[in-house]
Amino acid sequence: MPFDPVAFAIPLFVVLVIAEMLWARRRNPVAYESRDTATSLAIGLGSTVAGALTGGVVAGTLVWAHSVSPISLGWVWWAWPLCFVLDDLAYYAFHRSAHRVRWFWASHVNHHSSQHYNLSTALRQSWTGFFALTFVFRLPLAFAGFEPGMILVCGGFNLIYQFWIHTESIKRMPRWFEAVMNTPSHHRVHHAVNPRYLDKNYAGTFIIWDRMFGTFVAEDDADPIRYGIVSQLGTFNPLKAVFHEWAALLKDLWRAPWRHKLSYLLREPGWTHDGSRETSDMIRARWERDKLDS
Amino acid sequence: MNSELLQFGGSLLAITALVALAHWLGFSRSARLESEEAARQLLALAPGGFPVAALALAADGAGAIARSRDGRLALLRPHGGRFIAQPLPPETLLEAQGETLCIHTTPRIALQLGQEAQAWAQAGAQRPVAAR
Ligand SMILES: [Zn+2]
Ligand SMILES: [Zn+2]
């Protein structure tokens, strides 16, 4: 890839993490945890290695898809904003699948493995996204005639945008901004394990997709957010964070009766053929029941 | 290849510096439970849910033990700056040593429960196997 905007943004990430730490020390000392931050940064570094190793194949696949497409939009200026918005829609589709299909969840879960929510959490990026074939969500853009380089640059800027929203230091942005854009408030909801918030707010840059497709929930200040995953990891080992769900998936696939194996692969996390675990929908239903009882 | 190695080394250095800064700013403290209400909220989020029937907070807030309405036991264990809800299977040994309740999980944890330590140790011993 000729130009990777994310590589240039890394110094900015470092400066903002330091600024947020200084804010946290005075205003919210539990926002950071040094070992948790070490894990986040180690996972972030590992993900750049994984990205460097597999980036060529991803770019090559996009080039191939673009070459077989009858359309080529070239580098006209208006293709840029269009590409960014459509890539963000593709991100929404990817991200929703990442939470609703166990195969994709296995590669995405490490982004959610921290019980903290700060700018360092944003760097918990996937190592196994390429292996899980998550780049197929980008292919439709290349088939639609967008330049592969343009798609990758737009994806890079989308990722950079998503960095700053991983913070508790910003309560709410102006109303118009909260209506259109993904914000710290909306994305805190996405990282929450509170039943009302599970599997909501999949947006990358624009929150409009969640509003359009019915997956939007606003943050309720009366319900303090707890971050992480339903079964909290309980370890700071980055390798556990990255690979634990792959291991669990393999174990389930091995044990499951043949007619259920595909369901373990493709159904939502928490699904079991014997109902021995809970999906996010089951957790939400239990929570609604408990609310009525009390 | 060399420039990539250099970039990796630089990143590793930056990470070490950031983590050292986080430690120096005081972000290595263990989690403390502020109230029984906070403990109840955390237990409610445990996998499968945990409707609390009885609860005991450690005096220093460094953990809690609870019994659910259906007779299960669970532990709130600090993990860095946050808590983990950990179910205690019937075979877990609970032992009172004075005012301390020792829970033989891996890793072992000791809760300062005062007078209540004895009662919780007995509750642990008397759990029906059906609660499994
Ligand atoms: Zn997610
Ligand atoms: Zn996130």
Side-chain angles (χ1 to χ4, degrees), chain A residues 13 21 33 73 85 96 111 119 135 171 190 199 210 215 235-236 245-246 258 287:
Chain A
F13 292 169
M21 280 182 187
E33 214 284 335
L73 296 175
V85 172
R96 191 164 166 172
H111 181 65
L119 291 175
F135 61 90
K171 276 219 139 300
H190 179 65
D199 287 354
D210 286 290
T215 47
T235 169
F236 291 117
E245 186 63 16
W246 286 113
W258 275 101
W287 171 72

Side-chain angles (χ1 to χ4, degrees), chain B residues 17-107:
Chain B
L18 281 175
V19 174
L21 177 68
H23 181 74
W24 182 71
L25 288 174
F27 298 131
S28 301
R29 285 187 217 102
S30 250
R32 288 281 172 273
L33 281 165
E34 289 143 31
S35 63
E36 291 205 354
E37 186 46 36
R40 273 169 212 275
Q41 282 176 11
L42 288 174
L43 285 161
L45 294 176
F50 198 88
V52 174
L55 176 75
L57 226 62
D60 52 0
I65 185 167
R67 191 175 63 244
S68 68
R69 281 185 228 139
D70 51 358
R72 290 173 292 149
L73 290 185
L75 165 72
L76 281 179
R77 154 203 298 290
H79 170 60
R82 295 286 190 263
F83 280 92
I84 305 279
Q86 182 178 339
L88 296 175
E91 60 271 18
T92 314
L93 178 64
L94 277 71
E95 196 183 6
Q97 295 174 356
E99 307 206 317
T100 304
L101 181 71
C102 282
I103 304 170
H104 294 258
T105 51
T106 31

Side-chain angles (χ1 to χ4, degrees), chain A residues 152-269:
Chain A
L152 290 172
V153 169
C154 286
F157 278 109
N158 200 329
L159 198 67
I160 294 171
Y161 180 86
Q162 291 179 46
F163 174 75
W164 76 278
I165 60 179
H166 290 85
T167 185
E168 292 185 302
S169 67
I170 298 172
K171 276 219 139 300
R172 294 290 191 284
M173 295 299 286
R175 259 255 278 283
W176 69 269
F177 197 89
E178 294 279 345
V180 182
M181 307 299 288
N182 197 7
T183 61
S185 173
H186 298 329
H187 201 59
R188 283 195 288 269
V189 162
H190 179 65
H191 277 257
V193 291
N194 309 44
R196 74 165 81 214
Y197 295 144
L198 288 173
D199 287 354
K200 300 293 176 193
N201 297 6
Y202 297 118
T205 297
F206 301 113
I207 196 69
I208 53 170
W209 311 120
D210 286 290
R211 297 187 191 272
M212 277 167 68
F213 301 123
T215 47
F216 175 74
V217 167
E219 183 182 20
D220 179 352
D221 293 326
D223 191 4
I225 290 186
R226 313 281 182 184
Y227 300 100
I229 46 182
V230 171
S231 293
Q232 302 288 8
L233 272 189
T235 169
F236 291 117
N237 182 343
L239 296 176
K240 281 248 173 75
V242 169
F243 294 113
H244 77 275
E245 186 63 16
W246 286 113
L249 175 57
L250 268 181
K251 204 159 115 188
D252 282 345
L253 283 175
W254 180 256
R255 287 182 181 171
W258 275 101
R259 65 202 162 95
H260 294 302
K261 284 194 197 293
L262 205 58
S263 294
Y264 276 95
L265 210 59
L266 300 179
R267 292 202 57 159
E268 65 272 36

Side-chain angles (χ1 to χ4, degrees), chain A residues 15-112:
Chain A
V15 170
L16 288 174
V17 166
I18 293 173
E20 194 195 31
M21 280 182 187
L22 295 174
W23 163 83
R25 184 167 73 141
R26 299 188 49 197
R27 307 292 292 275
N28 188 1
V30 293
Y32 266 91
E33 214 284 335
S34 58
R35 285 156 291 182
D36 171 82
T37 298
T39 307
S40 296
L41 297 177
I43 294 176
L45 180 60
S47 79
T48 63
V49 175
L53 292 176
T54 58
V57 183
V58 173
T61 314
L62 287 173
V63 168
W64 165 80
H66 184 256
S67 72
V68 299
S69 167
I71 323 162
S72 181
L73 296 175
W75 296 89
V76 285
W77 70 267
W78 53 263
W80 281 99
L82 194 62
C83 182
F84 188 87
V85 172
L86 290 177
D87 177 66
D88 194 51
L89 174 59
Y91 180 85
Y92 173 87
F94 148 71
H95 195 191
R96 191 164 166 172
S97 314
H99 281 262
R100 302 299 295 176
V101 176
R102 183 126 179 249
W103 168 260
F104 293 128
W105 172 244
S107 103
H108 179 61
V109 62
N110 71 331
H111 181 65
H112 289 273

